[in-house]
Amino acid sequence: MLDRHLLNPLTDDRNALFDLFEKIFHKNAIAFLGAGASVTNKQLLSSDIIDSYEAKISKNFGTIDVIKFVDIMQNTSGLHRNDFDRFVVDALRTLKPEKAHEILSTIPWKMIFTTNYDTLIEDSFASSLNKGLTANK
């Protein structure tokens, strides 16, 4: 149990943060971004994609779990996984990087790993390079 408040870190915590910032500054830190990096404005969550695809095919499979959805869809006559995959790719292409992505692209990371299917991080780096903003030249 913590006996201190998050907003009142101990000196050791501050030192650890300074060490981290120094590593980032010297391009010696790796960022790992999960799904939260893509949903800054809550667009195109898997449930949104499922709802849109179900509307397109005029069916309701009764799940928002994308794995279950794909299993059901693949076993439904007349539906094909490739059609769904193309639908998802087309939907993801409509997303545009936001301010948070632009800020991330100006930090001198050694490398970034992401679990996301979209290309928001890559697009923000390309945009920042074109604007001369990135620290990762």
Side-chain angles (χ1 to χ4, degrees), residues 7 21 70 114:
L7 296 177
F21 294 148
V70 170
T114 179

Side-chain angles (χ1 to χ4, degrees), residues 68-84:
K68 289 179 184 176
F69 175 81
V70 170
D71 286 343
I72 295 168
M73 187 215 44
Q74 288 184 126
N75 291 305
T76 301
S77 179
L79 298 179
H80 303 281
R81 172 66 188 263
N82 287 342
D83 294 334
F84 179 70

Side-chain angles (χ1 to χ4, degrees), residues 41-115:
N41 61 5
K42 304 288 185 203
Q43 287 185 8
L44 291 181
L45 300 173
S46 60
S47 58
D48 298 327
I49 291 174
I50 289 170
D51 289 344
S52 296
Y53 194 73
E54 286 179 331
K56 177 185 174 189
I57 62 173
S58 301
K59 295 197 183 294
N60 184 335
F61 296 131
T63 184
I64 59 169
D65 180 306
V66 73
I67 294 171
K68 289 179 184 176
F69 175 81
V70 170
D71 286 343
I72 295 168
M73 187 215 44
Q74 288 184 126
N75 291 305
T76 301
S77 179
L79 298 179
H80 303 281
R81 172 66 188 263
N82 287 342
D83 294 334
F84 179 70
D85 290 348
R86 277 193 295 277
F87 181 83
V88 171
V89 168
D90 290 343
L92 293 175
R93 283 188 179 138
T94 67
L95 295 176
K96 301 293 180 222
E98 295 185 7
K99 188 67 176 174
H101 301 110
E102 183 178 309
I103 291 168
L104 274 171
S105 70
T106 63
I107 298 171
W109 303 107
K110 181 175 186 174
M111 188 177 297
I112 294 180
F113 291 100
T114 179
T115 61

